[in-house]
Amino acid sequence: MIVSRLTKCKESTYEVEIEKKVYVLDEETVLKYRLFKGYEISSEELDECIQSNELETIKKKAYSYYLKYQKNTYEIIKYLTDREVAYSLAVEAVHTLEDKGLINEVLLAVGVAGSLARNSNGIYMIRHKLKNRHFKNDVIEEAINQLTEEDVEEGKNKLYSKAIKKYGKLSSYEQKQKLKEVFYRHGYPEGISS
């Protein structure tokens, strides 16, 4: 079988004509299998090429989803399988991206944890929310260990200001109890320090 035509399409894809059949393939696949005009390819190589192209397409979809929505590996795999991608291919694509350093769960978890801390969530609440997003335990602990004191204090101050406005008219004792309750409810283990 010989490649009779190679035409560039949009966004790094090519139309490759082999034996009067047209295949739309990713640029990576075209380069990997050297599918240039006049190149001879066996049917086994063509099948392998098509499978490789499918994996490249899934990897691009996974990476795009990761960048756009800041999702972790569990969420990316779920996204792909919900779109009828075979589970094994979804896992392979995500692990390939992780191996290349394009998806970094720890950096993502650190970013999410910092954001949660600035939005008045204590350590327990942050841990709970990261578990709900299916981050692995070691990744969660790494993210919590990397929280900055500034982020934590900013969140505490926001929560304290909001609670004082709400409970400012109560007696000193009732106010202190309500503040303590609010801080515990938001996942702060030590309550309030103010």
Side-chain angles (χ1 to χ4, degrees), residues 88-121:
S88 60
L89 282 175
V91 169
E92 184 180 349
V94 169
H95 287 317
T96 304
L97 292 171
E98 278 184 310
D99 293 343
K100 288 182 178 179
L102 296 173
I103 293 178
N104 189 324
E105 288 245 328
V106 174
L107 284 178
L108 178 60
V110 167
V112 171
S115 175
L116 289 169
R118 288 186 299 278
N119 287 309
S120 305
N121 291 282

PDB file of all heavy atoms in Angstrom, residues 88-121:
ATOM      1  N   SER A  88      -9.350   1.967  29.117  1.00  0.00           N
ATOM      2  CA  SER A  88      -7.903   1.686  29.018  1.00  0.00           C
ATOM      3  C   SER A  88      -7.185   2.761  28.197  1.00  0.00           C
ATOM      4  O   SER A  88      -6.073   3.180  28.545  1.00  0.00           O
ATOM      5  CB  SER A  88      -7.663   0.308  28.413  1.00  0.00           C
ATOM      6  OG  SER A  88      -8.230   0.238  27.125  1.00  0.00           O
ATOM      7  N   LEU A  89      -7.820   3.243  27.123  1.00  0.00           N
ATOM      8  CA  LEU A  89      -7.217   4.303  26.306  1.00  0.00           C
ATOM      9  C   LEU A  89      -7.177   5.621  27.074  1.00  0.00           C
ATOM     10  O   LEU A  89      -6.203   6.373  26.981  1.00  0.00           O
ATOM     11  CB  LEU A  89      -7.983   4.493  25.000  1.00  0.00           C
ATOM     12  CG  LEU A  89      -7.735   3.478  23.899  1.00  0.00           C
ATOM     13  CD1 LEU A  89      -8.651   3.741  22.710  1.00  0.00           C
ATOM     14  CD2 LEU A  89      -6.286   3.517  23.454  1.00  0.00           C
ATOM     15  N   ALA A  90      -8.239   5.911  27.836  1.00  0.00           N
ATOM     16  CA  ALA A  90      -8.286   7.139  28.630  1.00  0.00           C
ATOM     17  C   ALA A  90      -7.165   7.145  29.665  1.00  0.00           C
ATOM     18  O   ALA A  90      -6.455   8.143  29.826  1.00  0.00           O
ATOM     19  CB  ALA A  90      -9.647   7.282  29.301  1.00  0.00           C
ATOM     20  N   VAL A  91      -6.999   6.017  30.353  1.00  0.00           N
ATOM     21  CA  VAL A  91      -5.945   5.899  31.371  1.00  0.00           C
ATOM     22  C   VAL A  91      -4.569   6.033  30.726  1.00  0.00           C
ATOM     23  O   VAL A  91      -3.698   6.755  31.228  1.00  0.00           O
ATOM     24  CB  VAL A  91      -6.079   4.562  32.139  1.00  0.00           C
ATOM     25  CG1 VAL A  91      -4.859   4.298  33.005  1.00  0.00           C
ATOM     26  CG2 VAL A  91      -7.347   4.549  32.982  1.00  0.00           C
ATOM     27  N   GLU A  92      -4.368   5.357  29.597  1.00  0.00           N
ATOM     28  CA  GLU A  92      -3.082   5.423  28.904  1.00  0.00           C
ATOM     29  C   GLU A  92      -2.761   6.857  28.478  1.00  0.00           C
ATOM     30  O   GLU A  92      -1.633   7.334  28.650  1.00  0.00           O
ATOM     31  CB  GLU A  92      -3.085   4.497  27.686  1.00  0.00           C
ATOM     32  CG  GLU A  92      -1.766   4.440  26.961  1.00  0.00           C
ATOM     33  CD  GLU A  92      -1.776   3.514  25.744  1.00  0.00           C
ATOM     34  OE1 GLU A  92      -2.747   2.741  25.568  1.00  0.00           O
ATOM     35  OE2 GLU A  92      -0.796   3.578  24.978  1.00  0.00           O
ATOM     36  N   ALA A  93      -3.762   7.551  27.936  1.00  0.00           N
ATOM     37  CA  ALA A  93      -3.552   8.935  27.486  1.00  0.00           C
ATOM     38  C   ALA A  93      -3.177   9.840  28.657  1.00  0.00           C
ATOM     39  O   ALA A  93      -2.222  10.618  28.580  1.00  0.00           O
ATOM     40  CB  ALA A  93      -4.818   9.454  26.803  1.00  0.00           C
ATOM     41  N   VAL A  94      -3.895   9.714  29.763  1.00  0.00           N
ATOM     42  CA  VAL A  94      -3.638  10.561  30.932  1.00  0.00           C
ATOM     43  C   VAL A  94      -2.273  10.253  31.535  1.00  0.00           C
ATOM     44  O   VAL A  94      -1.506  11.161  31.869  1.00  0.00           O
ATOM     45  CB  VAL A  94      -4.770  10.413  31.974  1.00  0.00           C
ATOM     46  CG1 VAL A  94      -4.404  11.057  33.292  1.00  0.00           C
ATOM     47  CG2 VAL A  94      -6.056  11.023  31.428  1.00  0.00           C
ATOM     48  N   HIS A  95      -1.931   8.968  31.641  1.00  0.00           N
ATOM     49  CA  HIS A  95      -0.624   8.609  32.205  1.00  0.00           C
ATOM     50  C   HIS A  95       0.518   9.077  31.307  1.00  0.00           C
ATOM     51  O   HIS A  95       1.573   9.489  31.812  1.00  0.00           O
ATOM     52  CB  HIS A  95      -0.533   7.109  32.481  1.00  0.00           C
ATOM     53  CG  HIS A  95      -1.352   6.682  33.661  1.00  0.00           C
ATOM     54  ND1 HIS A  95      -1.385   7.389  34.842  1.00  0.00           N
ATOM     55  CD2 HIS A  95      -2.171   5.630  33.849  1.00  0.00           C
ATOM     56  CE1 HIS A  95      -2.183   6.791  35.704  1.00  0.00           C
ATOM     57  NE2 HIS A  95      -2.691   5.721  35.118  1.00  0.00           N
ATOM     58  N   THR A  96       0.323   9.052  30.011  1.00  0.00           N
ATOM     59  CA  THR A  96       1.338   9.557  29.085  1.00  0.00           C
ATOM     60  C   THR A  96       1.555  11.050  29.302  1.00  0.00           C
ATOM     61  O   THR A  96       2.690  11.529  29.348  1.00  0.00           O
ATOM     62  CB  THR A  96       0.932   9.292  27.614  1.00  0.00           C
ATOM     63  OG1 THR A  96       0.703   7.899  27.434  1.00  0.00           O
ATOM     64  CG2 THR A  96       1.996   9.762  26.649  1.00  0.00           C
ATOM     65  N   LEU A  97       0.461  11.787  29.467  1.00  0.00           N
ATOM     66  CA  LEU A  97       0.568  13.226  29.718  1.00  0.00           C
ATOM     67  C   LEU A  97       1.241  13.508  31.060  1.00  0.00           C
ATOM     68  O   LEU A  97       2.033  14.445  31.177  1.00  0.00           O
ATOM     69  CB  LEU A  97      -0.820  13.875  29.665  1.00  0.00           C
ATOM     70  CG  LEU A  97      -1.487  13.897  28.296  1.00  0.00           C
ATOM     71  CD1 LEU A  97      -2.933  14.352  28.409  1.00  0.00           C
ATOM     72  CD2 LEU A  97      -0.714  14.790  27.335  1.00  0.00           C
ATOM     73  N   GLU A  98       0.944  12.682  32.061  1.00  0.00           N
ATOM     74  CA  GLU A  98       1.601  12.827  33.370  1.00  0.00           C
ATOM     75  C   GLU A  98       3.098  12.552  33.251  1.00  0.00           C
ATOM     76  O   GLU A  98       3.911  13.290  33.804  1.00  0.00           O
ATOM     77  CB  GLU A  98       1.008  11.840  34.387  1.00  0.00           C
ATOM     78  CG  GLU A  98      -0.273  12.310  35.024  1.00  0.00           C
ATOM     79  CD  GLU A  98      -0.756  11.332  36.080  1.00  0.00           C
ATOM     80  OE1 GLU A  98      -0.838  10.114  35.784  1.00  0.00           O
ATOM     81  OE2 GLU A  98      -1.042  11.791  37.190  1.00  0.00           O
ATOM     82  N   ASP A  99       3.453  11.487  32.533  1.00  0.00           N
ATOM     83  CA  ASP A  99       4.862  11.131  32.360  1.00  0.00           C
ATOM     84  C   ASP A  99       5.650  12.233  31.655  1.00  0.00           C
ATOM     85  O   ASP A  99       6.824  12.442  31.933  1.00  0.00           O
ATOM     86  CB  ASP A  99       5.010   9.811  31.587  1.00  0.00           C
ATOM     87  CG  ASP A  99       4.502   8.614  32.374  1.00  0.00           C
ATOM     88  OD1 ASP A  99       4.332   8.729  33.611  1.00  0.00           O
ATOM     89  OD2 ASP A  99       4.263   7.550  31.754  1.00  0.00           O
ATOM     90  N   LYS A 100       4.986  12.930  30.741  1.00  0.00           N
ATOM     91  CA  LYS A 100       5.636  14.029  30.024  1.00  0.00           C
ATOM     92  C   LYS A 100       5.652  15.311  30.856  1.00  0.00           C
ATOM     93  O   LYS A 100       6.214  16.313  30.427  1.00  0.00           O
ATOM     94  CB  LYS A 100       4.914  14.302  28.701  1.00  0.00           C
ATOM     95  CG  LYS A 100       5.131  13.234  27.651  1.00  0.00           C
ATOM     96  CD  LYS A 100       4.433  13.598  26.367  1.00  0.00           C
ATOM     97  CE  LYS A 100       4.693  12.565  25.290  1.00  0.00           C
ATOM     98  NZ  LYS A 100       4.003  12.906  24.034  1.00  0.00           N
ATOM     99  N   GLY A 101       4.990  15.278  32.007  1.00  0.00           N
ATOM    100  CA  GLY A 101       4.949  16.456  32.881  1.00  0.00           C
ATOM    101  C   GLY A 101       3.926  17.497  32.466  1.00  0.00           C
ATOM    102  O   GLY A 101       3.938  18.625  32.956  1.00  0.00           O
ATOM    103  N   LEU A 102       3.026  17.133  31.569  1.00  0.00           N
ATOM    104  CA  LEU A 102       2.014  18.073  31.105  1.00  0.00           C
ATOM    105  C   LEU A 102       0.830  18.171  32.072  1.00  0.00           C
ATOM    106  O   LEU A 102       0.140  19.179  32.107  1.00  0.00           O
ATOM    107  CB  LEU A 102       1.532  17.683  29.705  1.00  0.00           C
ATOM    108  CG  LEU A 102       2.608  17.750  28.621  1.00  0.00           C
ATOM    109  CD1 LEU A 102       2.093  17.180  27.309  1.00  0.00           C
ATOM    110  CD2 LEU A 102       3.094  19.179  28.435  1.00  0.00           C
ATOM    111  N   ILE A 103       0.599  17.114  32.826  1.00  0.00           N
ATOM    112  CA  ILE A 103      -0.420  17.123  33.878  1.00  0.00           C
ATOM    113  C   ILE A 103       0.315  16.907  35.191  1.00  0.00           C
ATOM    114  O   ILE A 103       1.064  15.951  35.325  1.00  0.00           O
ATOM    115  CB  ILE A 103      -1.477  16.015  33.663  1.00  0.00           C
ATOM    116  CG1 ILE A 103      -2.312  16.296  32.415  1.00  0.00           C
ATOM    117  CG2 ILE A 103      -2.370  15.875  34.889  1.00  0.00           C
ATOM    118  CD1 ILE A 103      -3.347  15.235  32.101  1.00  0.00           C
ATOM    119  N   ASN A 104       0.102  17.826  36.128  1.00  0.00           N
ATOM    120  CA  ASN A 104       0.767  17.728  37.417  1.00  0.00           C
ATOM    121  C   ASN A 104      -0.281  17.854  38.521  1.00  0.00           C
ATOM    122  O   ASN A 104      -0.757  18.955  38.816  1.00  0.00           O
ATOM    123  CB  ASN A 104       1.827  18.815  37.549  1.00  0.00           C
ATOM    124  CG  ASN A 104       2.691  18.638  38.770  1.00  0.00           C
ATOM    125  OD1 ASN A 104       2.227  18.204  39.820  1.00  0.00           O
ATOM    126  ND2 ASN A 104       3.951  18.979  38.635  1.00  0.00           N
ATOM    127  N   GLU A 105      -0.644  16.727  39.108  1.00  0.00           N
ATOM    128  CA  GLU A 105      -1.678  16.698  40.149  1.00  0.00           C
ATOM    129  C   GLU A 105      -1.296  17.515  41.369  1.00  0.00           C
ATOM    130  O   GLU A 105      -2.135  18.157  41.968  1.00  0.00           O
ATOM    131  CB  GLU A 105      -1.939  15.244  40.590  1.00  0.00           C
ATOM    132  CG  GLU A 105      -2.664  14.428  39.587  1.00  0.00           C
ATOM    133  CD  GLU A 105      -4.038  13.984  40.052  1.00  0.00           C
ATOM    134  OE1 GLU A 105      -4.261  13.759  41.234  1.00  0.00           O
ATOM    135  OE2 GLU A 105      -4.891  13.889  39.172  1.00  0.00           O
ATOM    136  N   VAL A 106      -0.028  17.453  41.763  1.00  0.00           N
ATOM    137  CA  VAL A 106       0.392  18.163  42.977  1.00  0.00           C
ATOM    138  C   VAL A 106       0.235  19.668  42.787  1.00  0.00           C
ATOM    139  O   VAL A 106      -0.336  20.346  43.653  1.00  0.00           O
ATOM    140  CB  VAL A 106       1.843  17.795  43.368  1.00  0.00           C
ATOM    141  CG1 VAL A 106       2.319  18.645  44.534  1.00  0.00           C
ATOM    142  CG2 VAL A 106       1.949  16.317  43.717  1.00  0.00           C
ATOM    143  N   LEU A 107       0.721  20.195  41.659  1.00  0.00           N
ATOM    144  CA  LEU A 107       0.577  21.635  41.407  1.00  0.00           C
ATOM    145  C   LEU A 107      -0.888  22.050  41.365  1.00  0.00           C
ATOM    146  O   LEU A 107      -1.259  23.102  41.886  1.00  0.00           O
ATOM    147  CB  LEU A 107       1.258  22.027  40.096  1.00  0.00           C
ATOM    148  CG  LEU A 107       2.778  22.108  40.116  1.00  0.00           C
ATOM    149  CD1 LEU A 107       3.307  22.456  38.733  1.00  0.00           C
ATOM    150  CD2 LEU A 107       3.262  23.110  41.139  1.00  0.00           C
ATOM    151  N   LEU A 108      -1.706  21.226  40.745  1.00  0.00           N
ATOM    152  CA  LEU A 108      -3.136  21.520  40.677  1.00  0.00           C
ATOM    153  C   LEU A 108      -3.741  21.528  42.085  1.00  0.00           C
ATOM    154  O   LEU A 108      -4.467  22.457  42.449  1.00  0.00           O
ATOM    155  CB  LEU A 108      -3.853  20.489  39.800  1.00  0.00           C
ATOM    156  CG  LEU A 108      -5.372  20.645  39.668  1.00  0.00           C
ATOM    157  CD1 LEU A 108      -5.741  21.989  39.068  1.00  0.00           C
ATOM    158  CD2 LEU A 108      -5.937  19.517  38.828  1.00  0.00           C
ATOM    159  N   ALA A 109      -3.426  20.523  42.884  1.00  0.00           N
ATOM    160  CA  ALA A 109      -3.965  20.434  44.244  1.00  0.00           C
ATOM    161  C   ALA A 109      -3.481  21.595  45.107  1.00  0.00           C
ATOM    162  O   ALA A 109      -4.250  22.138  45.911  1.00  0.00           O
ATOM    163  CB  ALA A 109      -3.580  19.102  44.880  1.00  0.00           C
ATOM    164  N   VAL A 110      -2.229  22.004  44.944  1.00  0.00           N
ATOM    165  CA  VAL A 110      -1.694  23.146  45.700  1.00  0.00           C
ATOM    166  C   VAL A 110      -2.475  24.412  45.335  1.00  0.00           C
ATOM    167  O   VAL A 110      -2.848  25.199  46.212  1.00  0.00           O
ATOM    168  CB  VAL A 110      -0.177  23.327  45.435  1.00  0.00           C
ATOM    169  CG1 VAL A 110       0.320  24.663  45.949  1.00  0.00           C
ATOM    170  CG2 VAL A 110       0.606  22.187  46.069  1.00  0.00           C
ATOM    171  N   GLY A 111      -2.728  24.597  44.060  1.00  0.00           N
ATOM    172  CA  GLY A 111      -3.504  25.759  43.607  1.00  0.00           C
ATOM    173  C   GLY A 111      -4.925  25.755  44.149  1.00  0.00           C
ATOM    174  O   GLY A 111      -5.427  26.782  44.629  1.00  0.00           O
ATOM    175  N   VAL A 112      -5.563  24.602  44.095  1.00  0.00           N
ATOM    176  CA  VAL A 112      -6.937  24.478  44.601  1.00  0.00           C
ATOM    177  C   VAL A 112      -6.963  24.714  46.112  1.00  0.00           C
ATOM    178  O   VAL A 112      -7.818  25.440  46.616  1.00  0.00           O
ATOM    179  CB  VAL A 112      -7.532  23.092  44.248  1.00  0.00           C
ATOM    180  CG1 VAL A 112      -8.866  22.868  44.946  1.00  0.00           C
ATOM    181  CG2 VAL A 112      -7.709  22.949  42.742  1.00  0.00           C
ATOM    182  N   ALA A 113      -6.003  24.117  46.831  1.00  0.00           N
ATOM    183  CA  ALA A 113      -5.940  24.275  48.290  1.00  0.00           C
ATOM    184  C   ALA A 113      -5.723  25.737  48.667  1.00  0.00           C
ATOM    185  O   ALA A 113      -6.371  26.247  49.597  1.00  0.00           O
ATOM    186  CB  ALA A 113      -4.838  23.399  48.871  1.00  0.00           C
ATOM    187  N   GLY A 114      -4.844  26.435  47.959  1.00  0.00           N
ATOM    188  CA  GLY A 114      -4.605  27.849  48.228  1.00  0.00           C
ATOM    189  C   GLY A 114      -5.853  28.685  48.011  1.00  0.00           C
ATOM    190  O   GLY A 114      -6.191  29.556  48.815  1.00  0.00           O
ATOM    191  N   SER A 115      -6.557  28.397  46.934  1.00  0.00           N
ATOM    192  CA  SER A 115      -7.798  29.103  46.642  1.00  0.00           C
ATOM    193  C   SER A 115      -8.853  28.841  47.720  1.00  0.00           C
ATOM    194  O   SER A 115      -9.536  29.754  48.176  1.00  0.00           O
ATOM    195  CB  SER A 115      -8.326  28.660  45.278  1.00  0.00           C
ATOM    196  OG  SER A 115      -9.569  29.236  45.009  1.00  0.00           O
ATOM    197  N   LEU A 116      -8.965  27.580  48.124  1.00  0.00           N
ATOM    198  CA  LEU A 116      -9.924  27.233  49.178  1.00  0.00           C
ATOM    199  C   LEU A 116      -9.569  27.924  50.497  1.00  0.00           C
ATOM    200  O   LEU A 116     -10.446  28.409  51.208  1.00  0.00           O
ATOM    201  CB  LEU A 116      -9.973  25.717  49.375  1.00  0.00           C
ATOM    202  CG  LEU A 116     -10.638  24.907  48.266  1.00  0.00           C
ATOM    203  CD1 LEU A 116     -10.391  23.411  48.459  1.00  0.00           C
ATOM    204  CD2 LEU A 116     -12.125  25.201  48.192  1.00  0.00           C
ATOM    205  N   ALA A 117      -8.269  27.988  50.809  1.00  0.00           N
ATOM    206  CA  ALA A 117      -7.828  28.644  52.045  1.00  0.00           C
ATOM    207  C   ALA A 117      -8.177  30.130  52.011  1.00  0.00           C
ATOM    208  O   ALA A 117      -8.679  30.680  53.009  1.00  0.00           O
ATOM    209  CB  ALA A 117      -6.328  28.450  52.240  1.00  0.00           C
ATOM    210  N   ARG A 118      -7.941  30.792  50.883  1.00  0.00           N
ATOM    211  CA  ARG A 118      -8.257  32.220  50.761  1.00  0.00           C
ATOM    212  C   ARG A 118      -9.758  32.472  50.822  1.00  0.00           C
ATOM    213  O   ARG A 118     -10.195  33.575  51.132  1.00  0.00           O
ATOM    214  CB  ARG A 118      -7.675  32.787  49.461  1.00  0.00           C
ATOM    215  CG  ARG A 118      -6.168  32.924  49.478  1.00  0.00           C
ATOM    216  CD  ARG A 118      -5.634  33.629  48.235  1.00  0.00           C
ATOM    217  NE  ARG A 118      -5.939  32.932  46.996  1.00  0.00           N
ATOM    218  CZ  ARG A 118      -5.242  31.903  46.508  1.00  0.00           C
ATOM    219  NH1 ARG A 118      -4.198  31.439  47.171  1.00  0.00           N
ATOM    220  NH2 ARG A 118      -5.578  31.346  45.360  1.00  0.00           N
ATOM    221  N   ASN A 119     -10.538  31.444  50.512  1.00  0.00           N
ATOM    222  CA  ASN A 119     -12.002  31.571  50.556  1.00  0.00           C
ATOM    223  C   ASN A 119     -12.590  31.039  51.854  1.00  0.00           C
ATOM    224  O   ASN A 119     -13.702  30.494  51.872  1.00  0.00           O
ATOM    225  CB  ASN A 119     -12.635  30.878  49.347  1.00  0.00           C
ATOM    226  CG  ASN A 119     -12.415  31.672  48.085  1.00  0.00           C
ATOM    227  OD1 ASN A 119     -12.698  32.863  48.040  1.00  0.00           O
ATOM    228  ND2 ASN A 119     -11.886  31.033  47.069  1.00  0.00           N
ATOM    229  N   SER A 120     -11.838  31.182  52.929  1.00  0.00           N
ATOM    230  CA  SER A 120     -12.307  30.893  54.292  1.00  0.00           C
ATOM    231  C   SER A 120     -12.552  29.422  54.589  1.00  0.00           C
ATOM    232  O   SER A 120     -13.464  29.088  55.351  1.00  0.00           O
ATOM    233  CB  SER A 120     -13.579  31.706  54.602  1.00  0.00           C
ATOM    234  OG  SER A 120     -13.351  33.075  54.399  1.00  0.00           O
ATOM    235  N   ASN A 121     -11.773  28.546  54.026  1.00  0.00           N
ATOM    236  CA  ASN A 121     -11.858  27.126  54.337  1.00  0.00           C
ATOM    237  C   ASN A 121     -10.652  26.734  55.185  1.00  0.00           C
ATOM    238  O   ASN A 121      -9.518  27.041  54.832  1.00  0.00           O
ATOM    239  CB  ASN A 121     -11.876  26.268  53.071  1.00  0.00           C
ATOM    240  CG  ASN A 121     -13.153  26.440  52.286  1.00  0.00           C
ATOM    241  OD1 ASN A 121     -14.178  25.888  52.642  1.00  0.00           O
ATOM    242  ND2 ASN A 121     -13.104  27.249  51.242  1.00  0.00           N
TER     243      ASN A 121
END
